[in-house]
Amino acid sequence: MIPPRFEYHAPKTVGEAVALLGQLGSDAKLLAGGHSLLPMMKLRFAAPEHLIDINRIPELKGIREEGGTVVIGAMTVENELINSPLLQAKVPLLCEAAKLIADPQVRNRGTIGGDIAHGDPGNDHPALSIVIDASFVLEGPKGRRTVAADGFFLGTYMTQLEENEVMCEIRVPAFAAGTGYAYEKLKRKTGDWATAGCAVVMRKSGDQVSHVRVALTNVAPAALRVEAAEAALLNKPFNADNVQAAVEAAIAACDPAEDLRGDVEYKTAMAGAMVKRALNKAWSRCV
């Protein structure tokens, strides 16, 4: 289908984009990679009168290190995450997980900031950003503010990003030595969203878990951090009983929507399976 008519804007700076958002209000939408917005426009599920294309803003792209923090421009595409030597060394979970997102064509255009800002529970970066303790730098008419990923996702297509704000950066603490990590994702076919997914970051001290974060993809109205699963493992030996307790806690937290990828019971069960796989892989990577 053909989308409805709209006016196209191409700001060259974040300030220009913020000014346009303030001027045009709710009639405007930001265009990043476009893989979520453009299909919705073609189906007439979305009909913005103005598109603000932020692809020509250089400050929104690139990956750099500031002290012990990795800073990722919001318009950095998935393939740049995969191929970044800095991320491979400092936050390898993002490189590994990006390979599971969509297909090569989409990864050449889809951006990490667009994935996060869209607030779709089926997107991968929300759960990933929670477990890596990421924070997001947002710029609006009153300047910049930083918001933690944990708590940023409020519901389906709902986040703390205001209509007049632009996501500028994703800031991630570099992994401490010995960090284990995993992202396990069940999908029907290449390019599909997750039926269920689980992201884990973990560290150990001896035979005990000294740090753990667990978050789920597409089994709740928003990316879901499962603190009860973390509590089942933290400061305890990593063994089959404690892993199973964490799995059961994750299953109890699930609230998936039935869709073409499965009914509630199936998606919940698959979430449990992904949690178990991710925990065991992350533990095996702890040094």
Side-chain angles (χ1 to χ4, degrees):
M1 293 181 66
I2 299 173
R5 293 178 62 88
F6 59 86
E7 289 192 37
Y8 176 81
H9 308 266
K12 299 295 178 61
T13 67
V14 174
E16 289 179 16
V18 170
L20 282 167
L21 287 171
Q23 173 189 339
L24 302 172
S26 59
D27 292 330
K29 293 290 185 184
L30 293 176
L31 176 65
H35 287 289
S36 297
L37 178 59
L38 294 182
M40 292 178 71
M41 291 176 64
K42 289 180 179 180
L43 293 170
R44 304 293 175 114
F45 292 153
E49 295 182 12
H50 301 269
L51 279 189
I52 302 172
D53 185 347
I54 55 176
N55 280 275
R56 292 173 175 81
I57 303 178
E59 65 188 282
L60 295 181
K61 300 181 180 180
I63 304 168
R64 67 185 190 277
E65 187 175 15
E66 293 182 359
T69 300
V70 177
V71 183
I72 307 168
M75 290 296 293
T76 303
V77 301
E78 303 293 349
N79 271 340
E80 290 172 322
L81 302 182
I82 293 169
N83 296 315
S84 166
L86 179 60
L87 283 180
Q88 290 166 8
K90 303 292 185 177
V91 195
L93 175 58
L94 285 183
C95 308
E96 182 173 291
K99 296 176 183 178
L100 302 177
I101 295 175
D103 53 51
Q105 288 179 309
V106 171
R107 293 195 290 268
N108 277 324
R109 289 289 300 169
T111 64
I112 182 173
D115 186 292
I116 292 167
H118 190 50
D120 189 331
N123 283 354
D124 300 280
H125 281 294
L128 291 164
S129 65
I130 289 171
V131 300
I132 62 177
D133 293 325
S135 57
F136 309 134
V137 178
L138 316 176
E139 183 169 333
K142 296 182 180 180
R144 290 195 170 192
R145 65 188 180 111
T146 302
V147 180
D150 189 8
F152 180 79
F153 306 99
L154 306 177
T156 303
Y157 307 124
M158 297 170 58
T159 72
Q160 291 191 43
L161 182 70
E162 301 289 346
E163 283 190 348
N164 58 359
E165 289 182 316
V166 175
M167 179 173 289
C168 298
E169 297 174 351
I170 296 88
R171 302 181 69 88
V172 186
F175 280 3
T179 298
Y181 58 90
Y183 186 54
E184 289 294 318
K185 175 180 178 179
L186 178 68
K187 53 185 179 179
R188 298 176 302 171
K189 58 183 176 62
T190 298
D192 196 11
W193 283 274
T195 300
C198 177
V200 170
V201 168
M202 181 184 294
R203 290 190 290 275
K204 71 177 182 178
S205 177
D207 68 343
Q208 293 194 341
V209 177
S210 60
H211 171 88
V212 61
R213 290 289 182 272
V214 179
L216 304 179
T217 297
N218 212 23
V219 290
L224 179 65
R225 179 180 173 189
V226 191
E227 293 181 79
E230 297 168 4
L233 294 163
L234 189 62
N235 298 322
K236 298 176 183 177
F238 188 87
N239 56 37
D241 289 341
N242 290 335
V243 168
Q244 185 58 33
V247 168
E248 291 172 2
I251 287 173
C254 289
D255 182 24
E258 183 172 340
D259 57 24
L260 295 175
R261 293 167 191 85
D263 58 24
V264 170
E265 292 77 11
Y266 177 71
K267 293 179 78 172
T268 300
M270 292 303 99
M274 295 304 105
V275 170
K276 188 172 184 178
R277 290 183 189 179
L279 288 173
N280 282 310
K281 180 181 285 188
W283 179 256
S284 73
R285 288 171 162 175
C286 290
V287 178

